[in-house]
Amino acid sequence: MKNDPSIKLSRRTFVGGVIASAATATAMQTCGASPAEATSPKSSPGWIDAHVHVWTPDTDKYPISPDFSKSDMLPKSFTDEQLFSHCRPAGVERVVLIQMSFYQYDHSYMLDVMKANPGVFSGVALIDHHRPDLVQQMKSLAQKGMRGFRLHSRGDAKDWVDDPGMQKLWRTAADEGLAVCPLINPDDIQYVDALCKRFPKTTVVVDHFARIGVSGKIEQDSLDQLCRLARFPNTHVKTSAFYALGKKQPPYVDLIPMIKQVTEHFGPERLMWASDCPFQVEDGHTYEASIALIRDRIDFLSASDKQWLLKGTAEKVFFA
């Protein structure tokens, strides 16, 4: 969940305060889905993880931003190969990469990972919405495989609604078929709501339930406010970062009522599961525990619903 283009925000701050046919077949069986069900929504088989960060300890080839130091890189390394060791056994074949804040606006490492694994990755970029060549930069990054742009609230989300650069970003995203991906706190939902109202054609993907539950408690008023975003048909929510929400303990069943409420409002077609690796695989948390919550532990989700959460929605937004 850590990813801020301009300031340091440690993972501790957030937590504390705040792909293989056999594997795919196994995952389908676990879901109780027939082969026909498991390939609908239609496309290549295999789940999609909609939110992962990658980085390399090779800071000579891939320098990090001067706003960060090597000591901020925790864990010290999370490369594509390290990711595959977690996601492939779970039947995850494709992944949406989110630019890591260590690199700020230099997407070289993520783009190289994408080029080295054709068809496996899509990307969400960081961008300075104040730059004068914003539209050209957005189009350039889209040509390189970026399908969305991340916004990170640092207590300034209230300024987004009337910011000319932010309005240009949302308008261009709609025109170019790109997503806006806000990482926000519960108090910021109102500002995303205002932007959705002003730019209803823009595809929006709210990260990590808008961090509802990071306090250790699922705040019902904030959850209701998040669910009101469902009236905008192009707005989506990532059911993700389970390690950081609610009780913050696997198997994360305390999050099921929140997942049920967002499913009732948005429908499975506008929800997407994501791990938020590497942070999901630290401190006693595992990749399997994250995907298993959606795949195995929620009775109210049908096999078709699980297809949408574990593949179809992310495929529609980030791989179409």
Side-chain angles (χ1 to χ4, degrees), residues 24-38 47 295-296 301-304 306-307:
T24 302
T26 300
M28 291 190 299
Q29 292 167 5
T30 305
C31 257
S34 68
E37 290 174 318
W47 309 134
R295 190 190 63 205
D296 304 334
L301 293 176
S302 68
S304 176
K306 294 176 182 181
Q307 281 292 313

Side-chain angles (χ1 to χ4, degrees), residues 260-282:
K260 184 173 184 180
Q261 184 170 334
V262 295
T263 303
E264 289 171 345
H265 284 78
F266 287 88
E269 300 87 353
R270 290 198 280 153
L271 302 179
M272 59 184 81
W273 165 80
S275 68
D276 194 24
C277 271
F279 310 110
Q280 175 58 43
V281 296
E282 295 191 298

Side-chain angles (χ1 to χ4, degrees), residues 7-306:
I7 65 170
K8 295 183 181 180
L9 180 65
S10 72
R11 178 58 42 170
R12 290 186 298 276
T13 299
F14 170 70
V15 172
V18 194
I19 149 185
S21 298
T24 302
T26 300
M28 291 190 299
Q29 292 167 5
T30 305
C31 257
S34 68
E37 290 174 318
T39 55
S40 180
K42 294 180 179 179
S43 190
S44 60
W47 309 134
I48 296 174
D49 187 335
H51 195 111
V52 168
H53 306 280
V54 291
W55 60 86
T56 173
D58 187 353
T59 56
D60 292 327
K61 184 174 182 180
Y62 300 100
I64 61 174
S65 164
D67 292 330
F68 293 86
S69 66
K70 284 189 176 183
S71 63
D72 294 313
M73 302 174 73
L74 296 173
K76 293 182 179 180
S77 172
F78 197 71
T79 64
D80 51 339
E81 289 302 323
Q82 289 175 289
L83 166 64
F84 292 152
S85 73
H86 295 283
C87 72
R88 283 175 167 162
V92 172
E93 291 186 349
R94 288 176 289 172
V95 173
V96 182
L97 296 179
I98 313 299
Q99 170 75 342
M100 191 57 203
S101 52
F102 306 149
Y103 300 119
Q104 201 168 22
Y105 306 126
D106 182 351
H107 297 81
S108 299
Y109 181 66
M110 188 164 72
L111 289 170
D112 282 353
V113 168
M114 293 168 69
K115 290 176 184 176
N117 300 274
V120 174
F121 295 111
S122 182
V124 171
L126 289 176
I127 197 165
D128 178 3
H129 63 277
H130 294 117
R131 59 186 298 158
D133 61 342
L134 174 64
V135 173
Q136 296 92 327
Q137 184 68 7
M138 290 177 68
K139 291 180 179 180
S140 175
L141 286 165
Q143 290 174 350
K144 297 174 182 178
M146 300 299 174
R147 300 296 303 151
F149 295 90
R150 195 176 208 202
L151 308 181
H152 192 156
S153 171
R154 307 183 302 276
D156 61 343
K158 63 182 181 297
D159 300 324
W160 292 355
V161 181
D162 296 318
D163 185 281
M166 189 64 72
Q167 293 180 27
K168 187 183 295 185
L169 188 152
W170 281 64
R171 187 178 300 110
T172 301
D175 292 345
E176 299 297 319
L178 304 168
V180 172
C181 306
L183 174 63
I184 57 174
N185 296 310
D187 290 345
D188 301 321
I189 297 171
Q190 57 186 311
Y191 308 118
V192 171
D193 190 298
L195 283 161
C196 289
K197 186 175 182 179
R198 184 171 295 186
F199 302 100
K201 295 181 180 180
T202 303
T203 297
V204 178
V205 182
V206 178
D207 286 347
H208 313 320
F209 298 98
R211 286 173 162 170
I212 294 167
V214 74
S215 66
K217 178 183 177 181
I218 306 302
E219 301 90 357
Q220 189 60 49
D221 289 347
S222 296
L223 183 55
D224 291 344
Q225 191 173 14
L226 175 66
C227 288
R228 283 195 288 273
L229 292 179
R231 72 188 191 277
F232 304 109
N234 291 314
T235 300
H236 309 71
V237 174
K238 286 182 187 172
T239 62
S240 52
F242 302 150
Y243 69 92
L245 305 176
K247 295 180 179 179
K248 306 178 176 69
Q249 293 292 331
Y252 316 117
V253 292
D254 61 300
L255 302 179
I256 291 178
M258 177 163 65
I259 296 171
K260 184 173 184 180
Q261 184 170 334
V262 295
T263 303
E264 289 171 345
H265 284 78
F266 287 88
E269 300 87 353
R270 290 198 280 153
L271 302 179
M272 59 184 81
W273 165 80
S275 68
D276 194 24
C277 271
F279 310 110
Q280 175 58 43
V281 296
E282 295 191 298
D283 301 326
H285 299 274
T286 67
Y287 199 92
E288 177 62 20
S290 177
I291 195 169
L293 178 62
I294 303 299
R295 190 190 63 205
D296 304 334
R297 299 184 180 278
I298 301 183
D299 293 340
F300 63 83
L301 293 176
S302 68
S304 176
D305 294 340
K306 294 176 182 181

